[in-house]
Amino acid sequence: MKATAIASPNIALVKYWGKRDEKLILPQNSSISVVLNNLWIKTTVDWNKKYKQDCCIFNQKEFKKGSKEYDKYIGLFLNKVRKMAGIKLRTKIKSQSNFPLAAGFASSAAGFASLTLAVNKSLELGLKNKELTILARQGSGSSARSIYGGFVEWLAGKKKDGSDSFARQIAVSDYWQDFRMILCLISTKEKKIKSRIGMARAVKTSPMYKGWLATINDDLKKVKNGIIKKDFSLVGKTAEENCLKMHSLALTSKPPVIYWLSGTMDVIQAVIGLREEGVECYFTIDAGPQIKILCLAKNAVRIKKRIKKIKNVQDVIMARPGKEAKITNQHLF
Ligand code: PMV
């Protein structure tokens, strides 16, 4: 009962920052993202009586029962899967990525999306896309958006059981061919405060949280319409504003959560400078120091050249809208 899947991370243009249900991972608000090409995580899952305990190896590092990653994230997900499939079997999971994990390149999204697909295949659960996004969501919320390719929205839903909180595609990856995202690597160190902790703290303690919820539907409408009309200015401007609102929730949480490093700030200044020169580009930042620049293909090379000169930027990766998660026969073990 072995299967392997591959999935790409997605970067939110309208962020998910806060849950209405911690156990089922139901968000306070809907969100919209773009799935990236060039970056991927491959995951092989095997269920077998010979395994006495779950064994999870991510990029050569093992996470067992007792480790924070297993007890708080992966183990909880595997228990949900076992309950759903009506099995008691233990599993071996091996993942490999071509980018650093847990540093703000949405590795958990790609990781849980690939795991969900591999689990569905290996246990013959027969889940279709909508149900796959519902299962993936229960590993890490944003992974629901990595089941599809291109531009994707994850609906917050209203129901208590979470059955109306799923992801769906807005546009396929080839729909907007000159849309680019330039990923700027500022640090490969794992962030100290995971998004799960950071967002729960914001819901509880940030005085700005009401303002976030009051303006989110407007951001969602603008970004969705902007994608459909390929209106880059509308998408970029709204995504940048939304990112700054998310980080103002983090900054005003008690105690505060500050994800930016000086390199993050250097890139923000460079983006503002480029805009002043007439090069249209915008930035977005998730729960980590990495910063991503949104631009159109015609400006991408010029922007990349400028960013590469910044001392605190370790690497620059050019990405465009990527494909959906897929099953592959190339197992990792
Ligand atoms: O899905 P999580 O728990 O990794 O949280 C993701 C949070 C952000 O990346 C900051 C925003 C988002 O919508 O992806």
Side-chain angles (χ1 to χ4, degrees):
M1 300 213 305
K2 189 188 276 188
T4 302
I6 186 157
S8 292
N10 70 79
I11 300 297
L13 301 169
V14 179
K15 312 283 184 197
Y16 143 58
W17 201 247
K19 294 180 180 58
R20 64 180 167 93
D21 184 312
E22 295 276 337
K23 271 206 176 135
L24 289 174
I25 312 199
L26 297 173
Q28 290 271 354
N29 62 273
S30 301
S31 53
I32 296 178
S33 67
V34 57
V35 173
L36 304 178
N37 75 337
N38 274 344
L39 283 81
W40 48 259
I41 295 189
K42 188 195 258 188
T43 301
T44 299
V45 178
D46 184 33
W47 304 85
N48 196 303
K49 275 191 200 144
K50 71 180 178 196
Y51 303 126
K52 300 289 169 239
Q53 266 197 30
D54 293 327
C55 164
C56 312
I57 304 160
F58 305 141
N59 279 2
Q60 271 101 48
K61 213 171 146 192
E62 194 173 337
F63 297 96
K64 279 190 183 152
K65 211 172 172 178
S67 70
K68 209 166 87 187
E69 281 76 7
Y70 181 88
D71 292 352
K72 296 217 161 130
Y73 300 91
I74 185 81
L76 295 179
F77 181 77
L78 292 174
N79 288 340
K80 282 180 190 170
V81 167
R82 274 188 277 265
K83 203 171 160 194
M84 189 174 170
I87 56 163
K88 290 214 159 79
L89 285 173
R90 303 288 126 174
T91 180
K92 177 172 172 182
I93 300 171
K94 195 168 177 188
S95 280
Q96 207 175 314
S97 74
N98 68 344
F99 64 100
L101 301 179
F105 278 166
S107 53
S108 66
F112 276 107
S114 57
L115 176 61
T116 300
L117 234 71
V119 157
N120 186 42
K121 169 97 177 155
S122 58
L123 293 175
E124 294 171 2
L125 298 177
L127 303 177
K128 298 276 179 296
N129 275 350
K130 179 178 165 184
E131 290 90 45
L132 285 170
T133 73
I134 288 178
L135 178 59
R137 185 201 80 213
Q138 296 177 68
S140 132
S142 57
S143 69
R145 300 184 310 236
S146 274
I147 296 292
Y148 292 101
F151 296 86
V152 182
E153 65 183 334
W154 169 25
L155 305 173
K158 285 200 167 80
K159 292 188 183 164
K160 276 199 163 167
D161 67 358
S163 57
D164 58 350
S165 182
F166 55 88
R168 64 183 182 196
Q169 194 171 50
I170 297 174
V172 295
S173 58
D174 292 339
Y175 179 76
W176 197 351
Q177 298 209 0
D178 53 354
F179 186 95
R180 293 287 180 281
M181 198 174 262
I182 303 173
L183 313 175
C184 312
L185 183 70
I186 306 298
S187 166
T188 50
K189 278 201 194 126
E190 285 199 15
K191 60 191 178 231
K192 287 198 189 95
I193 302 177
K194 294 231 183 229
S195 45
R196 195 166 289 190
I197 310 291
M199 64 176 80
R201 197 180 292 173
V203 174
K204 263 199 198 143
T205 65
S206 170
M208 310 292 184
Y209 206 80
K210 273 191 190 145
W212 168 258
L213 290 180
T215 57
I216 199 82
N217 284 339
D218 197 39
D219 291 354
L220 287 161
K221 212 188 283 170
K222 282 183 186 158
V223 168
K224 192 169 175 177
N225 282 338
I227 291 166
I228 291 164
K229 291 185 189 142
K230 298 182 197 166
D231 180 341
F232 178 69
S233 306
L234 183 61
V235 171
K237 200 165 170 280
T238 314
E240 187 176 292
E241 285 168 6
N242 182 267
C243 149
L244 289 170
K245 275 192 270 184
M246 182 207 118
H247 285 273
S248 73
L249 297 179
L251 291 168
T252 53
S253 293
K254 293 177 192 74
V257 181
I258 305 171
Y259 287 117
W260 303 359
L261 295 177
S262 47
T264 318
M265 207 57 222
D266 293 343
V267 177
I268 292 178
Q269 298 299 354
V271 167
I272 293 169
L274 280 156
R275 271 205 307 254
E276 281 165 3
E277 290 167 30
V279 181
E280 194 175 17
C281 54
Y282 302 92
F283 63 84
T284 190
I285 309 159
D286 289 313
Q290 283 26 298
I291 169 161
K292 298 97 186 175
I293 302 172
L294 280 62
C295 66
L296 290 173
K298 62 178 182 195
N299 292 322
V301 175
R302 179 166 170 188
I303 297 169
K304 191 176 172 188
K305 250 193 201 160
R306 181 76 58 90
I307 301 300
K308 275 196 140 176
K309 286 189 190 143
I310 300 173
K311 201 176 89 237
N312 283 323
V313 175
Q314 293 189 16
D315 198 8
V316 184
I317 304 166
M318 182 76 73
R320 53 171 82 192
K323 301 276 185 211
E324 68 280 2
K326 279 185 200 79
I327 291 291
T328 156
N329 290 327
Q330 289 157 356
H331 303 308
L332 289 171
F333 62 91

